[in-house]
Amino acid sequence: MAALPRSVVAPAGRHTASLIFLHGSGDTGQGARAWIKQLLNQDMAFQHIKVIYPTAPARPYTPMNGALSTVWFDRYKISNDCPEHTETIESMCHGLTDLINDEIKSGITKNRILVGGFSMGGGMAMHLAYRFHRDVAGVFALSSFLNKESAVYQALNRNEGDLPELFQCHGTADELIPYSWGEETNKMLKSLGVPASLHTFPNLDHELSRTEIEKLKTWIVEKLPIEVAKSNE
């Protein structure tokens, strides 16, 4: 798979951690970055964390009658009660693993990398982390869900050891991905040993909000604190 195009917000100081933000279906890395910038009146930027917004390749998307769309994977339909499109999910997990490996090659350890995203991007991040990269620093999912028989649940059933923390947000007025789907995903992951929080946003539809991004930023810095440079005492 060709390297994913990406939009990058460089850290202001020494780069010691990385964050991968996966956009929602039909969007781009630049689009997600611009949306957050509009909400915060500035880029989501950090002293020490590089923020990477990759763009999904265009592929035929079944819920849009097979029209091409920048989606991380295909869905048979937008429902939590149907099988997952396993083939496209797995192929994208490989593509995103390349992105994680690029960061590792530049000197960032896996426990200093966070993955997450909005809507389908959050779903993708959960597959990526809980099935293939359980040693990342954490996972975030904004207005996202997993299907009832998700491969993520099956993988966690066989789990031994520590799992990355999940920071989940969902609006109660979401008309595309009902709040209950997000809540059910959160309960299921908790029951399988994931340390998970769910932040509820009253009257928020299928969208991001400034309060939510501010909360996310606080959590990001908790998970990826600035490393104090070691003195040679």
Side-chain angles (χ1 to χ4, degrees), residues 76-98:
Y76 293 106
K77 55 184 175 183
I78 298 177
S79 161
N80 67 345
D81 205 7
C82 68
E84 289 176 322
H85 204 286
T86 47
E87 187 188 332
T88 54
I89 292 173
E90 309 225 335
S91 116
M92 192 45 64
C93 282
H94 294 303
L96 289 165
T97 293
D98 291 345

Side-chain angles (χ1 to χ4, degrees), residues 129-130 133-139 162-166 193-196 223:
Y130 294 118
H133 297 282
R134 291 182 181 164
D135 43 356
V136 294
V139 186
D162 292 342
L163 294 165
E165 184 185 321
L166 173 69
V194 174
K223 291 280 121 193

Side-chain angles (χ1 to χ4, degrees), residues 32-214:
R33 176 181 173 177
W35 190 11
I36 289 172
K37 191 172 182 175
Q38 183 195 344
L39 290 169
L40 297 178
N41 294 318
Q42 60 185 23
D43 266 316
M44 180 166 73
F46 302 89
Q47 189 62 29
H48 60 299
I49 306 168
K50 177 198 217 179
V51 184
I52 307 160
Y53 296 95
T55 296
R59 68 163 83 248
Y61 189 43
T62 304
M64 287 173 55
N65 299 320
L68 284 182
S69 187
T70 47
V71 289
W72 298 109
F73 51 86
D74 198 6
R75 294 188 187 283
Y76 293 106
K77 55 184 175 183
I78 298 177
S79 161
N80 67 345
D81 205 7
C82 68
E84 289 176 322
H85 204 286
T86 47
E87 187 188 332
T88 54
I89 292 173
E90 309 225 335
S91 116
M92 192 45 64
C93 282
H94 294 303
L96 289 165
T97 293
D98 291 345
L99 186 59
I100 289 174
N101 288 338
D102 285 348
E103 291 311 293
I104 293 169
K105 281 177 202 144
S106 75
I108 305 301
T109 52
K110 188 93 79 76
N111 64 358
R112 297 281 293 166
I113 298 174
L114 276 178
V115 296
F118 172 71
S119 193
M120 174 186 266
M124 186 74 237
M126 290 188 274
H127 277 275
L128 185 66
Y130 294 118
R131 293 173 62 194
F132 300 103
H133 297 282
R134 291 182 181 164
D135 43 356
V136 294
V139 186
F140 61 93
L142 316 174
S143 311
S144 307
F145 75 101
L146 291 170
N147 295 35
K148 285 184 176 173
E149 303 293 317
S150 179
V152 174
Y153 301 149
Q154 290 162 34
L156 289 174
N157 256 328
R158 301 186 291 275
N159 171 60
E160 316 258 310
D162 292 342
L163 294 165
E165 184 185 321
L166 173 69
F167 179 93
Q168 204 180 337
C169 297
H170 215 113
T172 57
D174 195 322
E175 304 239 324
L176 185 69
I177 310 291
Y179 177 80
S180 60
W181 296 6
E183 191 176 38
E184 192 177 297
T185 299
N186 192 273
K187 281 183 181 152
M188 192 68 186
L189 289 170
K190 266 189 178 155
S191 75
L192 292 164
V194 174
S197 59
L198 175 59
H199 303 269
T200 304
F201 291 83
N203 309 317
L204 188 68
D205 195 353
H206 194 65
E207 59 193 337
L208 297 172
S209 81
R210 180 175 181 144
T211 325
E212 175 185 30
I213 298 300
E214 296 286 9

